[in-house]
Amino acid sequence: MAEVKISAEVRSEFGKGAARRTRRANKVPAVIYGHGADTVHVTLPGHDLMMALKTANALISLDIEGRKELVIPKAVQRNAIKGHIEHVDLLAVKRGEKVTVEVAVHTEGELAPGANLLENVLNTLTVEAEATHIPESVTVSIAGLDAGDSIVAKDVPLPSGTTLVTDEDAVVIQILAAQAEEPSADEAEAAEGAEG
């Protein structure tokens, strides 16, 4: 995973009014924590941050007024209506350090013939990986699966150096038999009328 470089400024104003002013300037208030160090309050350029967060578990190299800090996003607050990023919590990491993150589960392949339904019980898996080698997602094959089949967490192939944290017997995907819809009352009456 490539590092995204972003310049940050130390933030000295706090509270709702200061946060609003920061957002009006197209910047995002953020907090950096981790390694037992004091929490650092910064502002980040809104557009750069938005682009970086398009990649799940993005590794961000911050330049905080000349000091370099490697971070990953831990919590992102968005405006419920407009979707703009309002605040982000960042976790400081070191090269070679293991971190616990959630990665998206994707499927590939075609189910066995028949009207079967695919149910994603878990859309993400919790894994532990080196901070500089966090997978964006994991892919599992559903080729040939039939009704009643399922895939559990331990069956999902993980990249080298990544270990599973989610319960290994947790169901990730299950295949359900499609159920025939019961005819509605109007359809049933129409069918009876046709018979009569």
Side-chain angles (χ1 to χ4, degrees):
M1 175 188 335
E3 284 178 33
V4 180
K5 293 181 174 26
I6 298 179
S7 293
E9 300 166 2
V10 174
R11 184 164 47 109
S12 55
E13 287 188 313
F14 304 99
K16 287 185 179 179
R20 280 193 204 104
R21 283 191 295 279
T22 300
R23 290 187 201 104
R24 273 197 300 268
N26 195 23
K27 295 184 178 178
V28 178
V31 176
I32 303 169
Y33 61 93
H35 298 133
D38 290 340
T39 301
V40 179
H41 298 269
V42 295
T43 59
L44 304 170
H47 180 74
D48 293 351
L49 180 62
M50 179 195 67
M51 296 306 288
L53 294 180
K54 286 185 182 276
T55 302
N57 299 314
L59 183 64
I60 302 170
S61 176
L62 290 182
D63 180 349
I64 308 168
E65 299 174 353
R67 182 174 61 88
K68 302 283 187 211
E69 186 80 60
L70 208 56
V71 298
I72 58 172
K74 269 319 239 187
V76 179
Q77 294 173 3
R78 294 182 184 271
N79 180 291
I81 297 167
K82 295 185 178 176
H84 300 312
I85 300 169
E86 294 198 331
H87 187 273
V88 64
D89 287 351
L90 301 168
L91 177 65
V93 295
K94 291 186 168 97
R95 293 185 193 286
E97 176 184 7
K98 294 265 189 177
V99 293
T100 302
V101 295
E102 289 194 356
V103 294
V105 177
H106 297 297
T107 58
E108 66 180 7
E110 298 289 323
L111 293 173
N116 294 321
L117 301 172
L118 171 70
E119 180 184 12
N120 284 33
V121 179
L122 295 177
N123 292 318
T124 61
L125 287 179
T126 305
V127 298
E128 185 180 70
E130 188 182 320
T132 54
H133 293 91
I134 300 171
E136 287 183 34
S137 62
V138 291
T139 303
V140 61
S141 173
I142 57 167
L145 294 182
D146 208 344
D149 291 342
S150 62
I151 296 174
V152 294
K154 66 183 174 190
D155 296 333
V156 177
L158 298 175
S160 173
T162 303
T163 54
L164 185 67
V165 175
T166 299
D167 177 15
E168 64 179 23
D169 293 322
V171 175
V172 179
I173 292 168
Q174 61 185 11
I175 311 303
L176 307 172
Q179 309 222 339
E181 288 186 27
E182 300 246 342
S184 67
D186 293 341
E187 289 171 346
E189 286 176 18
E192 287 173 11
E195 288 173 8

